[in-house]
Amino acid sequence: MKGRVFVPFCCLEFMTKIHQVQEVVRSMIGREGSQFAAQQQLVTADLTSIIIQLISTAGTLLPSFKNSSLPNNNGSLIGSDIPSSDSTKASEYEELIKGLSSAGDEGDDLMKYVNACGGEGADSVLAEDDAVDGDNLPPGSYEVLQLEKEEILAPHTHFCLICGKGFKRDANLRMHMRGHGDEYKTPAALAKPSKEISSEPVPIKRYSCPFNGCKRNKEHKKFQPLKTILCVKNHYKRSHCDKSYTCSRCNRKKFSVIADLKTHEKHCGRDKWLCSCGTTFSRKDKLFGHVALFQGHTPALPPVDDTKVSVVLDQVQNNDLMNGGSIGFNFGSASDDVGLLDIKGDDDDRGFFSPMNFDSCNFGSLDDFSRPSFEVPESSFSILPGSYNYVNRNGS
Amino acid sequence: MAPHHAHITVLPLDLLIYIIDRVPEPADRKSIRLVSRAFHRAECLQRRDLNVIRREALGMLIRCYGAIESLDLSACAGLDDACLSTALGGGAAPGLRKVNLSRASGVRWSGLAAMVRGCPRIESVDLSHCVGVGDREVAVLAMLAGLKELRLDKCLGVSDVGLAKVAVGCPGLEKLRIKWCLEISDLGIKLLANKCQNLKFLDISYLLVTNKSLHSISTLGRLEVLKMVGCYYITDDGLNYLKNEKNCNTLLSVDVSRCHNVSAFGLVSIIEGHKSLRKLKASDCYVDLPLNCLSKLGMLTNGFHTLKVDGSEVSEPRLKIIGANCKGLTKIGLGKCKGVTDENISELVSNCADLKTIDLTCCHDVTDDSLIAIANSCKKLESLLLESCSLITDEGLVYIGTCCPNLQEVDLTDCDLDDSALESLSRCSELMKLKLGLCPSITDDGLDYIAKCEKLQELDLYRCTGIGDDGLAALAYGCKKIRKLNLCYCTRISDQGMKYVSCLPELKDLELRGLTQVTSLGIVAIAFGCKNLTELDLKRCSAVDDLGFLGLARYAINLRQINISYCNISEQVLIRLLWNLRCLQDVKLVHLTHVRKEGFMLALRSCLDKLKKLKLPTILKDAISPALIQILQDKGCRIRWVDKPIPFYMKDSPPSSPDP
């Protein structure tokens, strides 16, 4: 959609910019005799801004340019999704500037670059989802490759021919090779191998999953090919392998691709809305919608913290302790309370105020009384409404 | 056993139960229980409801009364998880249907879980005002599949998740109160309406919910009562949902009081949508009631009987229109309404002869003419509230007294009446509740008249400085049924008056604030005489000393609330008081100048596991050990710290400074 309007417009802009450059250069040549420093600066500034604009225009042109140059395109510019993410775009620009600066066949250089950036080197850029196909190439317009299971699951794909050590990346292998002798230190040996075969047109490669019956397997009726080797690896692991990586935070979610686990761990714990069926939601309203829909599902409560449980236990212990303590803490006949019918309500036979026996009273951890400062009168006082014998010992 | 009792002992158990079935009074039942073992056994088997006050007795009582269906633990001091699970967890009361755990703030999910396991047939649970209750507790209750009624007022921790648990777990829920559960939002209400289609009663007062909730509620096909007091975010559009849905036209009672964003249009929506409405409350909405809104009241059926529009503008023809359209009205609330005049009142009551309750609180323009009109029209009047209607006199009350024989409740607070007014009222033999606060002209002669109202249960004489001991003598002689008596600041009353008050056998609630002439002798008399006393306020009774409090400690054993702020009580007596009063739950101990911090700590420790509410001065906040405060709070006690200066007359006796 975007491309259809965008491409001609960009081309037009490209043309006008080039015309501007031509004009500036022409004017410079005209004034060669009488040069003023100020004017020169002005011209330089003009040129720089135009060049920058040129580069950016060329950059936006890049994706559509690639598509339009493909054979058997059927003129479909619509599905031109940018295959790489933003982070690679910056490097694309750099490459492009190089390509522009070296006078040569521009179109081919671009193609070279585009083809190269697809497969390798994108390891860090966790290849989107394997469902993202990019273009819908008609069958037969590409070469289908099928890697074997062992090949897919192999930890290393590049092996040293001398010592047999394996590497994930070709570049690392080349770095390793330097240690095996001076012949591996030449610029030719260290250069990217892909650059050497760049002159020939590269046939389009698509990949098939080795798993029989899989939609990504070439025998499948509605076969959908995988785009890169990385896609194959991720697809195979996700769909046909055990999920061996468990999230260390929730101990529930499992993954077969480490990158997926890492992505999950970034968000794990934020999905705080949990249903009794185990489904998690990042939003409360989604959870409640789910609960409303399914019979018997309820929102789950967060598990009881271990700390909380221990607090509860502590309380229970404290309780016992206090109860035990209150027996020593003998204000009256404490035991006669227990088991009495409350409804009676009029048992007046409460005990006298016996002296508080502090030594037998165990407050446990609560023993923060400043005992010396509080002297309890030794003599117990008996109180009856008629005889008021109580002597206030407070001051003593 | 004496031979002449022999014929009672041979009665079989089923006959005894049959007899006990016919004894409603608790005191009589107690006598029956004490006759013999067989009688006690029969009473145990017959009893269906139980109100337990002391935690220690709970387990034994449950084992004894295994047939109970209703258990009230709201007054059980110090109730905690361990206690609840040992009492109910073992299935000792399998038939339990109804549990009241209101204000049982020490109960948490583990205790409730044990209760749910032991009594799976519980249908009604009241957890109101357990502020610590949260989703986990409610989730435990949601395991009661047969739950029909749930009260969660002010369970501050309950959120949408807890509500969802109940909604899913208890599809048969009929009554739900979630007043003040501020965490609950529209989402929870939506799910509730989706899952609990049998809801008949819903109270969402003070929730921060919006019109979306009303949209969900409007799908409840059986809803009869909807309370949404103080729902600030609900507007007329929300009430319109209630009208539009065809499903929901069963509402009988709607309360939109304090919904400040509701106007008369919202009320019209309710009236138009629910023709069978019986109660409509729209107090303090500050709405101006337009005439067309009031005329819509005529669309309602004759069953419409209660209208409350406190604080609204009801000038000229409005009350007349109400009267003309709602002839069956039995209750009308016009408190603080603007524009209430004698003419308006007479136009209203001339049409509504069935009025039983009329609230004219703070309608300052009302005079005797209104009372005459009310007396002439409303012969069935039961309750008349006239607080601050200062223009009324005894002439108007004469008519009320002669024409309204059914009058049960009269509020004359701040009306500045004299004895002759009470003479008029004394003809109302059914009078149960009388408020005469701030009427200093009333004297002992007036109380002589009141003494003729034998059924009086509540009497408020706040700051009636004209009354003395003789008046109380008359009261004690005539009104034996008094349960609640307020004598605050009636400064002429002395010990002799207290001796008269102590002859009121049913007295439960007594307020004696600022009675400076009452000494320990009077208090001991009260403690000895009023066995049922549960609440006592002795604030600023400066003449009462240790003897009085020791008397309370010994005799007033059913006391649950006590206020002894500003009293002269010593450390030892305070400890003894708090220790001995085993039902004590609510204590106010502000400015006890003779008690040192160690005394406070010892006193508090002595009643550690029964207190629910405690009021202390802020000075003690740092003095009392944090561990003690923590334990109190863990056990469900709420501590209120008050910061008030010690009054000058108490300063000459400073608290003995703690020794270093």
Side-chain angles (χ1 to χ4, degrees):
Chain A
M1 296 280 271
K2 198 166 65 178
R4 202 173 280 184
V5 195
F6 196 56
V7 171
F9 173 72
C10 285
C11 284
L12 209 72
E13 208 174 19
F14 215 93
M15 294 292 279
T16 52
K17 293 293 171 194
I18 288 169
H19 280 300
Q20 277 180 350
V21 177
Q22 283 174 346
E23 269 175 44
V24 172
V25 171
R26 210 174 289 147
S27 70
M28 276 171 71
I29 295 166
R31 287 179 199 170
E32 220 168 9
S34 55
Q35 280 181 356
F36 293 105
Q39 272 184 340
Q40 201 180 8
Q41 274 182 352
L42 208 78
V43 169
T44 329
D46 262 352
L47 265 178
T48 340
S49 80
I50 288 166
I51 287 167
I52 288 168
Q53 282 169 345
L54 265 176
I55 290 168
S56 72
T57 321
T60 49
L61 261 174
L62 187 64
S64 44
F65 191 61
K66 166 197 135 194
N67 270 343
S68 58
S69 65
L70 288 172
N72 297 330
N73 204 337
N74 299 351
S76 73
L77 295 168
I78 302 166
S80 62
D81 284 345
I82 301 169
S84 51
S85 70
D86 283 346
S87 59
T88 53
K89 216 163 201 173
S91 61
E92 276 173 34
Y93 287 169
E94 282 168 30
E95 201 82 355
L96 195 68
I97 292 163
K98 275 184 210 160
L100 285 174
S101 58
S102 64
D105 196 342
E106 282 183 29
D108 266 341
D109 252 25
L110 272 172
M111 274 313 297
K112 249 193 292 174
Y113 172 72
V114 166
N115 282 340
C117 80
E120 286 181 22
D123 207 324
S124 61
V125 186
L126 172 66
E128 314 274 72
D129 194 16
D130 48 17
V132 178
D133 275 335
D135 42 15
N136 294 318
L137 294 173
S141 66
Y142 48 83
E143 189 184 340
V144 177
L145 298 174
Q146 181 168 304
L147 286 81
E148 283 314 304
K149 183 186 160 192
E150 291 73 23
E151 213 173 338
I152 291 169
L153 295 178
H156 307 299
T157 45
H158 304 277
F159 295 93
C160 174
L161 294 172
I162 298 163
C163 67
K165 189 172 181 186
F167 296 91
K168 274 185 187 172
R169 295 168 197 238
D170 185 41
N172 292 349
L173 172 63
R174 272 179 275 132
M175 290 296 125
H176 163 82
M177 293 302 281
R178 290 181 305 177
H180 285 301
D182 286 340
E183 64 266 38
Y184 299 108
K185 288 180 182 170
T186 58
L190 286 170
K192 258 191 176 182
S194 56
K195 287 207 170 178
E196 290 164 19
I197 46 164
S198 61
S199 54
E200 295 162 29
V202 185
I204 304 162
K205 286 178 192 167
R206 288 295 180 266
Y207 297 88
S208 157
C209 168
F211 194 88
N212 247 342
C214 174
K215 202 179 179 183
R216 304 296 192 168
N217 184 270
K218 58 189 172 187
E219 308 299 330
H220 196 275
K221 274 182 200 168
K222 295 177 180 175
F223 170 57
Q224 285 187 330
L226 292 155
K227 210 165 173 184
T228 64
I229 295 174
L230 194 70
C231 289
V232 176
K233 284 185 174 177
N234 284 341
H235 159 78
Y236 193 83
K237 283 183 191 165
R238 281 177 188 143
S239 311
H240 312 301
C241 292
D242 289 338
K243 297 180 172 180
S244 46
Y245 303 110
T246 314
C247 172
S248 57
R249 291 199 192 186
C250 60
N251 274 324
R252 195 177 11 235
K253 288 246 174 185
K254 291 182 174 180
F255 302 92
S256 46
V257 178
I258 292 186
D260 291 357
L261 172 69
K262 283 179 180 166
T263 320
H264 162 79
E265 278 183 335
K266 274 182 204 162
H267 300 281
C268 183
R270 287 189 201 167
D271 286 359
K272 54 179 177 179
W273 302 106
L274 174 67
C275 177
S276 55
C277 67
T279 323
T280 56
F281 300 87
S282 56
R283 280 168 55 182
K284 189 177 166 189
D285 55 334
K286 298 290 173 197
L287 167 64
F288 274 68
H290 168 88
V291 168
L293 200 61
F294 295 99
Q295 207 73 38
H297 289 211
T298 63
L301 293 166
V304 189
D305 288 351
D306 287 340
T307 52
K308 262 190 179 174
V309 170
S310 68
V311 166
V312 170
L313 286 175
D314 279 354
Q315 275 177 4
V316 171
Q317 279 165 3
N318 257 336
N319 201 359
D320 294 343
L321 198 134
M322 288 312 295
N323 287 345
S326 70
I327 295 165
F329 201 89
N330 198 2
F331 281 88
S333 46
S335 53
D336 76 347
D337 294 354
V338 185
L340 267 181
L341 261 182
D342 176 69
I343 311 160
K344 279 184 181 176
D346 58 351
D347 49 336
D348 291 340
D349 53 346
R350 320 267 357 254
F352 52 90
F353 190 37
S354 68
M356 281 163 286
N357 196 350
F358 269 98
D359 293 323
S360 68
C361 177
N362 182 16
F363 284 112
S365 62
L366 316 160
D367 202 359
D368 51 355
F369 264 112
S370 48
R371 267 161 56 186
S373 67
F374 186 69
E375 298 274 333
V376 181
E378 285 295 301
S379 64
S380 62
F381 43 95
S382 70
I383 303 300
L384 287 168
S387 62
Y388 182 30
N389 295 333
Y390 172 64
V391 182
N392 194 347
R393 290 266 196 122
N394 206 13
S396 63
Chain B
M1 182 130 309
H4 60 276
H5 284 158
H7 59 282
I8 298 178
T9 54
V10 297
L11 283 176
L13 205 59
D14 53 340
L15 269 183
L16 281 178
I17 291 174
Y18 194 70
I19 293 167
I20 295 170
D21 256 342
R22 272 133 228 271
V23 182
E25 280 295 311
D28 300 340
R29 282 177 157 271
K30 187 174 156 188
S31 320
I32 287 178
R33 199 164 55 228
L34 296 173
V35 169
S36 70
R37 276 177 199 279
F39 274 63
H40 185 257
R41 173 102 187 103
E43 212 266 340
C44 287
L45 289 173
Q46 190 274 338
R47 185 176 272 271
R48 292 288 175 270
D49 50 345
L50 193 62
N51 181 3
V52 181
I53 297 171
R54 282 169 56 215
R55 184 179 75 158
E56 306 87 66
L58 178 63
M60 190 272 287
L61 285 173
I62 299 284
R63 277 194 301 280
C64 199
Y65 294 96
I68 49 164
E69 290 176 356
S70 165
L71 180 61
D72 186 349
L73 296 173
S74 58
C76 188
L79 187 72
D80 58 8
D81 283 340
C83 186
L84 193 65
S85 33
T86 44
L88 291 174
L96 200 63
R97 298 281 169 88
K98 193 174 176 186
V99 179
N100 185 350
L101 289 165
S102 179
R103 294 180 202 274
S105 33
V107 174
R108 289 287 178 276
W109 63 274
S110 56
L112 290 175
M115 183 187 84
V116 167
R117 272 196 306 277
C119 320
R121 288 162 72 189
I122 291 177
E123 288 174 359
S124 165
V125 178
D126 186 347
L127 274 180
S128 52
H129 300 280
C130 298
V131 283
V133 162
D135 289 339
R136 194 165 298 281
E137 285 78 15
V138 176
V140 168
L141 291 182
M143 285 191 273
L144 294 165
L147 200 67
K148 285 185 178 162
E149 185 177 0
L150 183 58
R151 285 187 75 149
L152 296 173
D153 301 3
K154 219 167 186 182
C155 293
L156 296 177
V158 176
S159 73
D160 286 337
V161 174
L163 188 63
K165 286 273 183 195
V166 172
V168 174
C170 319
L173 205 65
E174 288 177 2
K175 287 187 175 183
L176 180 65
R177 293 169 196 257
I178 43 176
K179 188 176 172 178
W180 279 117
C181 296
L182 295 176
E183 299 278 311
I184 290 175
S185 71
D186 289 334
L187 275 177
I189 303 284
K190 188 178 176 188
L191 189 71
L192 177 77
N194 183 313
K195 299 280 182 184
C196 299
Q197 286 289 321
N198 289 329
L199 269 181
K200 287 181 181 165
F201 182 108
L202 183 60
D203 187 348
I204 55 165
S205 300
Y206 300 101
L207 294 195
L208 304 172
V209 295
T210 66
N211 292 335
K212 283 183 199 166
S213 285
L214 282 190
H215 190 55
S216 320
I217 287 170
S218 67
T219 61
L220 292 170
R222 295 178 190 162
L223 196 66
E224 290 173 359
V225 182
L226 178 59
K227 294 193 174 204
M228 38 190 173
V229 180
C231 291
Y232 182 78
Y233 296 103
I234 282 177
T235 67
D236 292 343
D237 295 341
L239 297 181
N240 208 27
Y241 287 129
L242 294 180
K243 169 192 163 188
N244 287 347
E245 287 288 327
K246 284 171 192 164
N247 221 350
C248 180
N249 48 18
T250 53
L251 275 177
L252 299 179
S253 168
V254 177
D255 192 344
V256 290
S257 302
R258 293 169 199 266
C259 293
H260 293 273
N261 287 321
V262 165
S263 77
F265 296 106
L267 300 184
V268 170
S269 308
I270 295 174
I271 294 167
E272 284 178 344
H274 306 275
K275 300 278 187 285
S276 51
L277 202 69
R278 291 183 190 163
K279 285 187 187 177
L280 180 61
K281 296 187 181 178
S283 306
D284 303 310
C285 293
Y286 306 117
V287 289
D288 175 36
L289 299 169
L291 301 182
N292 60 347
C293 165
L294 294 175
S295 56
K296 297 272 184 197
L297 287 170
M299 296 164 66
L300 299 172
T301 57
N302 268 340
F304 184 67
H305 59 64
T306 300
L307 179 66
K308 217 165 152 52
V309 287
D310 298 354
S312 307
E313 169 85 40
V314 286
S315 55
E316 210 19 50
R318 290 184 172 80
L319 285 182
K320 187 180 179 183
I321 294 171
I322 290 175
N325 285 305
C326 321
K327 293 206 166 31
L329 218 54
T330 59
K331 281 189 185 177
I332 188 156
L334 299 171
K336 295 175 205 156
C337 282
K338 292 185 198 94
V340 179
T341 60
D342 291 337
E343 294 79 45
N344 287 342
I345 296 283
S346 55
E347 279 165 349
L348 171 74
V349 294
S350 60
N351 277 316
C352 305
D354 290 336
L355 273 175
K356 287 181 180 168
T357 301
I358 301 176
D359 182 357
L360 297 174
T361 304
C362 295
C363 296
H364 302 289
D365 298 334
V366 169
T367 70
D368 287 337
D369 294 344
S370 291
L371 296 188
I372 294 167
I374 290 170
N376 286 331
S377 306
C378 313
K379 305 290 182 198
K380 298 175 185 170
L381 195 67
E382 288 175 2
S383 174
L384 183 59
L385 308 180
L386 298 168
E387 184 182 336
S388 292
C389 297
S390 44
L391 297 180
I392 60 166
T393 66
D394 53 315
E395 284 171 34
L397 287 172
V398 170
Y399 285 89
I400 296 288
T402 42
C403 299
C404 306
N406 294 328
L407 206 59
Q408 291 176 4
E409 181 185 5
V410 180
D411 187 350
L412 297 170
T413 306
D414 201 13
C415 291
D416 200 19
L417 294 167
D418 53 16
D419 294 339
S420 48
L422 298 186
E423 186 183 4
S424 323
L425 279 179
S426 66
R427 288 173 202 158
C428 306
S429 56
E430 297 292 317
L431 205 60
M432 288 161 71
K433 205 171 166 184
L434 181 59
K435 291 194 169 188
L436 299 169
L438 298 165
C439 297
S441 318
I442 291 174
T443 67
D444 292 341
D445 298 336
L447 294 188
D448 275 341
Y449 297 123
I450 294 297
K452 289 177 192 165
C453 305
E454 288 179 359
K455 293 189 177 172
L456 202 65
Q457 290 186 358
E458 277 188 53
L459 181 60
D460 185 350
L461 295 169
Y462 179 82
R463 285 192 197 271
C464 291
T465 43
I467 64 163
D469 296 337
D470 296 341
L472 293 181
L475 274 185
Y477 183 74
C479 311
K480 288 284 182 197
K481 300 269 181 197
I482 289 187
R483 288 160 168 256
K484 192 173 174 177
L485 183 60
N486 188 341
L487 299 172
C488 294
Y489 303 105
C490 301
T491 42
R492 284 179 53 206
I493 293 174
S494 69
D495 284 344
Q496 192 57 42
M498 288 299 109
K499 279 183 186 160
Y500 296 131
V501 170
S502 69
C503 300
L504 294 169
E506 309 230 335
L507 197 63
K508 290 184 97 167
D509 184 345
L510 181 61
E511 294 189 44
L512 303 172
R513 270 188 203 195
L515 298 191
T516 44
Q517 290 194 41
V518 173
T519 68
S520 295
L521 292 176
I523 299 302
V524 171
I526 295 277
F528 196 76
C530 306
K531 285 278 178 252
N532 288 317
L533 201 65
T534 56
E535 292 178 37
L536 181 63
D537 192 340
L538 293 174
K539 189 175 171 181
R540 292 179 198 273
C541 287
S542 47
V544 180
D545 59 8
D546 284 341
L547 174 65
F549 295 111
L550 285 166
L552 283 177
R554 182 161 165 78
Y555 296 113
I557 46 168
N558 287 319
L559 215 54
R560 282 185 218 166
Q561 293 187 28
I562 191 166
N563 185 350
I564 51 171
S565 301
Y566 302 90
C567 283
N568 294 318
I569 185 169
S570 69
E571 258 166 32
Q572 290 83 1
V573 179
L574 178 67
I575 296 164
R576 169 110 199 236
L577 184 71
L578 296 191
W579 166 254
N580 254 30
L581 297 176
R582 53 190 189 183
C583 301
L584 206 61
Q585 298 180 5
D586 185 342
V587 192
K588 297 192 172 77
L589 306 171
V590 184
H591 294 327
L592 304 181
T593 46
H594 297 299
V595 184
R596 294 171 305 162
K597 65 172 185 182
E598 290 83 3
F600 272 112
M601 283 168 69
L602 209 53
L604 291 181
R605 194 153 288 172
S606 72
C607 58
L608 204 55
D609 48 2
K610 54 190 178 190
L611 286 192
K612 284 188 181 175
K613 267 183 171 178
L614 179 62
K615 198 171 178 181
L616 289 171
T618 320
I619 323 160
L620 286 175
K621 204 169 187 175
D622 300 324
I624 293 180
S625 90
L628 182 59
I629 293 175
Q630 189 59 48
I631 291 176
L632 275 170
Q633 283 169 345
D634 286 347
K635 289 192 174 276
C637 179
R638 279 170 64 203
I639 306 178
R640 241 183 88 195
W641 303 97
V642 278
D643 194 10
K644 280 183 189 165
I646 296 178
F648 67 92
Y649 57 85
M650 294 179 82
K651 275 187 181 160
D652 50 346
S653 57
S656 39
S657 56
D659 303 327

